[in-house]
Each structure stands twice: as C-alpha cells, then as structure tokens.
Amino acid sequence: MRLLRGIDLDSIGARLRAPLHGYTLSLLALVASLLLVWLYWSNARQRELNAVQAEFAAETDAIAELLRQRLASYELVARGGVSLFASVDRPSAGQWQGYVDALNIAASYPDMLGLGYAPYLDRSELQALQLDMRDAGQGFYVVRPSGVRANYGPVLYFEPRTEANRAVIGNDLFADPLRHAAMASARDDDAVRITAPLQLGEDSGRPVTGVVMFAPVYRFGTPATLSARRAALQGWIYAPLDMSEFVASALHSTRRHAALSVRDGGSGQGEGTVLYADHAELAGRGSESDFRRTVPLELYGRRWELDFSADAGTALAARTPELRMTLGAGIIASLLLFGVALVLARTESLAERKAALLAESYQRSELRFRNAMRFSAIGKALLDRRGAIVDANPALAAIFDTSTDALVGSMFGAHFSDAGDEARRSREFAAVAEGVFRTTRQWRTAGGELRHAQLTYAPVPGEIGQDVASLVQVEDITERVLAHAREQALHRTLEARVALRTRELTHANHELESFAYSVSHDLRAPLRTIEGFSRLLGERYADKIDEVGRDYLARVRKAAGRMDDLIDALLKMSRVSRSPLTLAPLDISRIAREVVAELRIAQPQRHVEVEVEPGLRAVGDAALVHNLLQNLIGNAWKFTAGADNARIVVGGEDAPGEQAAFHVTDNGAGFSPEYAGKLFRPFQRLHNPEQFEGHGIGLASVKRIVERHGGTVDAEGRPGEGATFRFTLPREVAAAG
C-alpha cells in the first residue's frame, strides 16, 4: 500500500488505455478497408460483365449487318443479270455465259452455286421455245416435271456450266411450291425475293440446305400495276445459295466469340426451319450464365432470326487477371494501412521529443527567412495589420528611392499614386487574410515618371499578438506593362483581320460546296435520263419515227451533250477556286511556248504567227498559271481563225510595285468595248456559238486564277481589230494573294 501511494493510478490507466485504443482503431481500419475493397471489386466485376455483354451485343449486330450486306451483293449480281436482259431482248447462251464468267463466281461468290435464268412461259410459248432450240441444233428442250400447266418457269441458262449445273437445265422452278411462292412474290412486287429453306440437291448436285434468290425481268421497263407486271413478266434471274458457305464467306474476316444459328421465321412452308448452325463445339454451349440474343432480319420477303449465344464465364475470364490484381492490391493496401496505424501508435511518444526539435528548427527557419528577404533583389516588406511597414529590404528602398529606415513605420499604401483609396486597401487586406493575393499599383518617381508595380501579398503566420501580419513583394513591371499593351493592340488588330477574312472564306467555301453538290448530283441525274431515253427511243423506234422526229431526237441529244459539257466546265471552274495554292517561281515564257505547241499539235493545218517575249517571270501555282495561259492563248488562237495573217503576241509590261504585268494580244475577231465588263462572267458570250464554239467559262476561270494570286485582269478590243488581255501576277511569294 505504501508503494501505491506515490503512484498516479489515473496516469497508469491512461497509459494502459492509450495502446489498447490505438490497436482497436487499427483493427477497425483494417476491417473497414477490407470491406471497401470487396465492395469495389464486386462493382468492378459487374462493370466488366456489363462491358462483355455490350461487346457481345455489338458483335451480334456487326454479324447481322455483314450477312445483310452479303445478301445485298448478291442482289447486285442478280440486278446485273436483269440489266443484261434490259439491253438485249433475250441474250443467247453464249452471252449469258460470258456475263457469268466475268463475275468469276467461284472466286468472288463461293457460296453461290450458280447464276441462272428461268423464262416465264405459257404452254404455247414453251412449245415455241422448244421448236426454236431444236431448229437451232440444241436438241429437244425437256421440261421437268412433265405435265400440262398454265404457266412454266423452266431453267433455260445456268452457269457456270459444271456437270451438276447442266443437270438443272429444264427443271420447272415454278412448279415447286417453295420456289413458286418466292417467284410469284418477286413478279407481283417488282422486288428481289428469296425462298424458304430447301434442299438444293436438284440445283447443285449435293444435299445441302440453302435458299434461292429470284429477281424479276420485265419487258419494256417496270409496269406500274399488278396486272401489267404479270402481263409484262419475261422471267427471273435466280441464284441458289449454300447457307453454310454463305455464312463462312460473309464472316471470313470476322473474329467471332458468339455461336450462331439462323432460323427462317417467314410465313408458309419452312417456317421455323434451321438454315444454319455452327459446329457442335460452338453451338453446344449452354448454361444459365450464357449470353443469348436473337436478332431479326427482314430480308427479301423472309424473316430470318439470328440466334447468338456466348459463354459469359469464358468471356469474363479474359478480364479476370485485372480483377484479381485489383483485389490483391486492395488487400495489400489494407494490410499496409493496418501496419501504418500500428506504427503511428508506437511513434506517438516520439512526436513529443521531436516537438522541441521543431521549435528550434522554427527559429532557425525564421532567421533564414529574414536573411533571404534582406539579400533579395526583389523589393519586400513585412506589414502589420494596419498596413504599416515593420521591416523592408534594401531592394524596396531602391525602388522608392529612399532608405530602409525611412520606410519602417510608414504606411505602405502611402507610397503609391492611389494612396487615398481606403476602400481598395481594405479589400487588399481582406484578400490577404484568405491567402496569397496579387494586384498592380502605380507610383511616381522623384522625377515625376509614372511606374507600374506588381504586388504579391502573402499572410505570415506567427504567434498571437505578433505585430507582423503579412509579407508583400514589389516588382517593377513598367516595361512589361508597356510591351503587353503594344502586344494586345497588335493582337486585336490581327484578330479583326483574321475574323473578317475567315468569314469571307467560309462564305465562299459554302457557296462553292453547294454549287458543286448541285451540279454533280441534281443536274447530272436528269440529264443522263434525258440522254439515255432519247438514245433508246432513237435505237428502238427508229423505224416508227419520221425524219422530222429523228431530227428532233438528235437536237435533244445534242442539247443534253452541250449541257453535260457546261456542267464539266462549271466543275472545272469550281476546282480552280478550291484547289490549294503551291507558290513557286515560274518561267512564264516557257509555259506560253508549251501552250502554243499544244495548240499547233491539235490543229496542224492552221498557220498562226506567235511571238513570245523571252525572260517573262513571276511567282504562282504552276498548274493554275498553265490553265490561265491556256485559256488566254487558246481564246486568241480560236478568234483568229478568220484572220488572213493570224498573229498572237505574249509579252510583259512595266508595272511598279510587287506585281508583274503581262499581256496577250491578237488580231482576231475582237469585241465591242461596251461589253468588256461581261467577258469575265460565267456563260457570257459575245459571239455566235455556230461561229466560235465554247461555253463562256474560260475567261471566268482566268479572272478567278488571277484574283487568287492577288492580281488583276482586264481586256480591251474592237470588232475586227483583235483584242488585248492584260493581267498581273506577284513577283515574289510574299506578294501572292
């Protein structure tokens, strides 16, 4: 008992409880961190599972689209056969064989067993066809199955002509119910149709499952009504497809993880029949965790259902290493946190011993701070809470042209031009209390010069009651401010110029794009229709149209051809405006001589005296400048056709400044001076087209080329006395527009 009297029991208990409390907190931290790791891992696993499922859905959509595109390519092949029958009333067997051989079905379409033609015949037409083939030395054409029917659809051509395909000739496809349904639908709807699933042994010579695609062939185009289509039907282009080869060809370049089966879900016979299924090792997958998806495809009158399945566990296994790594890293981090907590509990006693060392270190740090402030080249001052200077370094005294002793005790703000702005000083000190604050102030030197300073305030933590509240740093930024002002003024000027030029260029580009689109799409399509049908009308009904009608058709086709030439000219002018400039020094004399040589080769019978001044040079885009001279010299060559002594001169002129001047002069037909302003407008012509051919685009292109180079162009002339075209190009790259 005497031993316990001098011992503080509360102190002993506190010391015993402190380690236990630290260990308890460490254990709780371990449990909490492990729980968070498990929650994070569960969420990450679910996210990976969702990602795998999204990839599965994307893969199935891609496979469905590849199958759709593959069938679309077969539709194009069938449509090509229809086009052949549209151009020839009924192609011969050799013509059909040539068309199919050109397709190279064996290499390009290995899943297509062949491409054939089945005519649509009644009994009398069938007999006539049999007689024609017998008279042509092809033997008697036998139709299978035999029997009398209202209509027939026997195979007449089927290429490539293999042993198995030759056995198909004569099979009446229209007699088979499955084929009959697809053929009648294609006939009535004027659309490509495919059959329900069927065995293609009779078509290919081997028992495989597939479908047959039919495309109707009409006489005289496509009739508008159902009855007219039935009456005008000439036959069908058909192609049997092996489904196994079809899927393999469509997906040969696709890396698949999902098993696929294709079911026909269309109406009628064959509904629900499996068209294709993957091998057993893929199709045999199945568990409650598998991904499953059915994608419907509406294809040529049938509905296919693509059933996909994939093993979720296998797909997720590829991502499991990352999940395991995450889980392991989380457990390790939890254990490390537990160890850190234990270390912190044990080092608590060491913190008290280090506190004394920190106090000493703080005193040394303060001494280093004052030395750094004193010897700094930047002006610094310590301020109290009122804004008075407590201490200042020599650099600040040099800025204000005074001594450090004179600065101590003075109000810091009194040294600036806005010394009387109490509200501003209050805002600055309020901002300093929240952290580092920067501002700019002005002061006047002893000579009256206005200077600019950047002030950086920072709070200085200290003991309670300490007179130092903040540190301010003063930098003379007068030269920087003046340079920045000049830079901003120049920047605003440049921005205004760039914005103006950008708006102009954007507007011009939009106009050009709209023009090019209209020309290439909206004008050419109806023009080709006019020309094509006019040609067909002249070819097919030439014996039914009198001489006046044929003359009218010739005029229509000639007008269509001229319109097509005008469209080409417009597109060329558009490309002149949009092509990028590649500027380089050019020999104008050499380019002019090349253009003259091209004209002499094109018209060797003409004798034109051409004088090209040597040494003509400028800067420009070689292709555009060649186009420029080709138009100007070509015009002079064309309009001197009626002159007795045709003469063309290409020369230079004296021009001050950065632009070099040139001229092209001829003694040809000339033009009236009052129409000079119309020369450079598109489609503006001053002469009769029968006398001088052209579209009125050449000089418009000349004007655009010259203006793109920053130059000008003008013309002068008189009727019968020739014409002179003057233009300028830059002498140096910097002068180009």
Side-chain angles (χ1 to χ4, degrees), residues 618-697:
V619 167
D621 185 285
L624 293 181
V625 172
H626 186 277
N627 190 343
L628 164 71
L629 292 175
Q630 194 174 41
N631 279 306
L632 290 179
I633 299 176
N635 270 8
W637 185 278
K638 176 172 61 177
F639 288 106
T640 55
D644 295 334
N645 298 312
R647 187 171 187 271
I648 301 173
V649 178
V650 180
E653 298 182 353
D654 294 333
E658 300 176 341
Q659 298 289 322
F662 307 93
H663 68 84
V664 176
T665 303
D666 64 80
N667 62 345
F671 59 88
S672 298
E674 60 267 21
Y675 298 119
K678 296 183 178 180
L679 286 174
F680 301 102
R681 299 177 186 174
F683 305 114
Q684 294 292 328
R685 294 179 48 82
L686 304 184
H687 300 85
N688 190 344
E690 302 297 333
Q691 183 180 5
F692 298 105
E693 62 179 8
H695 306 101
I697 292 297

Side-chain angles (χ1 to χ4, degrees), residues 270-500:
E271 182 172 355
T273 304
V274 175
L275 281 165
Y276 169 83
D278 280 336
H279 298 297
E281 58 269 20
L282 292 177
R285 299 172 180 170
S287 67
E288 294 182 357
S289 62
D290 280 359
F291 295 136
R292 295 184 179 278
R293 188 171 186 236
T294 298
V295 178
L297 286 180
E298 299 292 340
L299 298 168
Y300 305 105
R302 304 296 299 177
R303 176 184 175 88
W304 286 2
E305 294 180 351
L306 310 183
D307 295 330
F308 297 94
S309 64
D311 186 1
T314 303
L316 191 60
R319 302 171 181 259
T320 302
E322 298 179 1
L323 295 176
R324 286 199 296 264
M325 187 179 297
T326 301
L327 181 60
I331 294 175
I332 293 173
S334 300
L335 294 176
L336 289 176
L337 179 62
F338 177 67
V340 170
L342 290 178
V343 171
L344 289 177
R346 296 185 60 183
T347 57
E348 184 178 1
S349 61
L350 298 176
E352 296 180 356
R353 291 197 299 268
K354 291 184 178 180
L357 297 176
L358 289 175
E360 182 180 357
S361 176
Y362 174 75
Q363 294 176 356
R364 293 179 179 178
S365 177
E366 185 177 0
L367 179 61
R368 288 194 295 268
F369 166 73
R370 290 189 177 274
N371 288 336
M373 175 179 170
R374 178 177 303 172
F375 299 112
S376 174
I378 299 175
K380 296 181 180 179
L382 291 172
L383 308 181
D384 62 12
R385 301 185 184 282
R386 299 181 299 107
I389 298 177
V390 177
D391 192 8
N393 67 347
L396 182 63
I399 289 176
F400 290 137
D401 195 16
T402 183
S403 63
T404 55
D405 295 336
L407 289 175
V408 174
S410 64
M411 298 299 294
F412 178 72
H415 296 279
F416 296 96
S417 301
D418 52 355
D421 192 350
E422 296 293 338
R424 176 169 182 168
R425 288 203 300 273
S426 299
R427 290 194 302 271
E428 291 179 359
F429 278 98
V432 171
E434 299 178 359
V436 177
F437 172 72
R438 292 179 176 85
T439 185
T440 56
R441 303 283 289 275
Q442 298 175 349
W443 86 94
R444 291 190 179 275
T445 63
E449 180 185 0
L450 184 65
R451 308 288 292 179
H452 299 268
Q454 179 174 329
L455 309 183
T456 303
Y457 291 92
V460 177
E463 300 177 358
I464 299 176
Q466 187 181 32
D467 56 349
V468 177
S470 60
L471 169 69
V472 62
Q473 179 176 292
V474 182
E475 293 182 77
D476 188 348
I477 59 169
T478 303
E479 300 301 329
R480 192 190 312 170
V481 169
L482 295 177
H484 182 68
R486 290 191 295 269
E487 179 184 354
Q488 290 296 320
L490 179 59
H491 183 66
R492 286 192 295 271
T493 302
L494 291 177
E495 282 186 344
R497 292 179 179 177
V498 170
L500 178 61

